[in-house]
Amino acid sequence: MKFPAAFKKSHLLVCLLPVLFGCSTAPELAAKSGVVPDDVDFSGEWQLRLEPGSKQTRSVDDELRIRIPKSNSRLQNNREERPGRSSGPLVQVFLETGELLKISQTAHGLFISFDRSIVEEYTFGEKRTVSVGPIEALRVSGWEKEVFVVETLDKQGAVLMESWHLEENGDVLVRDISMSRGKQEQFTLRQLFDRS
């Protein structure tokens, strides 16, 4: 049986679509546990440890030039309007930093106050959409053994990951931050907080 040439080309295209687009699908965020590990409590006040001459907090702001596009504009148009500005991942708007943290931990979640001005609430085992202005992202948060993990995924496939754990018998809080798009890591930072 002979098929017209146009049919063969369209059939080939239909067969190749899963191969072409299978590699470009957005990453999936794996659910985290909602069960708090025994003897893990981040509650308290924490002071960022700064090494002499360090600009650790400023480096986050300098590295990530945060921009929020207008709700009715497209990302590409926004870049054209602001030449020379950083075009980092939109997910960076969900990153909070501060030198003084106050953390309240309950059986169901964490409340983190950054420099007494911004409070973030994380529910253990959650998976939900979060937003800052017109920017929306998918967030999961919860426990991986004794480490609390928050992952935020924007619509362009960039992932902001934060992990928190205790060291030195609970006197040091370690926060690891990374941002990536696909397999390309764009930013990493480790912060140490001492219990005040």
Side-chain angles (χ1 to χ4, degrees), residues 1-195:
M1 181 177 206
K2 273 192 153 184
F3 293 101
F7 175 81
K8 289 179 183 177
K9 287 179 183 175
S10 64
H11 183 68
L12 177 62
L13 181 60
V14 170
C15 292
L16 286 176
L17 282 176
V19 174
L20 293 173
F21 293 104
C23 300
S24 64
T25 58
E28 295 277 329
L29 296 182
K32 310 297 178 201
S33 172
V35 179
V36 182
D38 292 337
D39 301 323
V40 175
D41 190 351
F42 296 157
S43 295
E45 294 190 2
W46 301 89
Q47 177 68 49
L48 178 64
R49 183 186 299 173
L50 294 174
E51 302 300 325
S54 169
K55 295 181 181 177
Q56 198 165 7
T57 303
R58 275 189 79 185
S59 69
V60 175
D61 297 331
D62 292 345
E63 184 79 24
L64 302 172
R65 307 218 185 274
I66 295 176
R67 59 185 169 72
I68 301 178
K70 299 173 189 169
S71 59
N72 60 353
S73 69
R74 298 186 65 182
L75 180 59
Q76 184 176 356
N77 293 340
N78 198 44
R79 283 185 187 152
E80 292 171 315
E81 291 168 11
R82 298 179 184 183
R85 296 273 314 200
S86 170
S87 58
L90 295 176
V91 76
Q92 67 194 9
V93 302
F94 297 96
L95 177 61
E96 300 294 348
T97 61
E99 292 187 19
L100 180 64
L101 305 183
K102 182 176 181 180
I103 302 179
S104 300
Q105 180 174 319
T106 69
H108 306 287
L110 285 178
F111 297 87
I112 304 176
S113 169
F114 294 87
D115 290 336
R116 298 187 178 103
S117 60
I118 298 170
V119 177
E120 284 287 334
E121 176 185 356
Y122 302 105
T123 303
F124 303 146
E126 80 174 339
K127 183 174 186 177
R128 67 181 177 101
T129 300
V130 292
S131 63
V132 172
I135 300 174
E136 290 188 342
L138 181 64
R139 173 176 286 164
V140 296
S141 62
W143 297 93
E144 292 181 355
K145 298 186 180 177
E146 296 183 346
V147 178
F148 178 67
V149 178
V150 180
E151 292 178 325
T152 309
L153 170 68
D154 71 18
K155 291 181 180 178
Q156 284 76 40
V159 177
L160 168 65
M161 188 179 116
E162 299 176 66
S163 66
W164 306 75
H165 70 274
L166 295 171
E167 290 186 355
E168 298 182 27
N169 296 319
D171 290 330
V172 176
L173 177 64
V174 180
R175 181 190 194 195
D176 288 305
I177 305 167
S178 67
M179 196 174 303
S180 60
R181 181 179 282 149
K183 293 183 179 179
Q184 183 181 8
E185 194 167 71
Q186 300 186 341
F187 175 77
T188 60
L189 176 69
R190 170 166 277 200
Q191 296 179 314
L192 302 179
F193 295 86
D194 296 303
R195 194 181 288 277

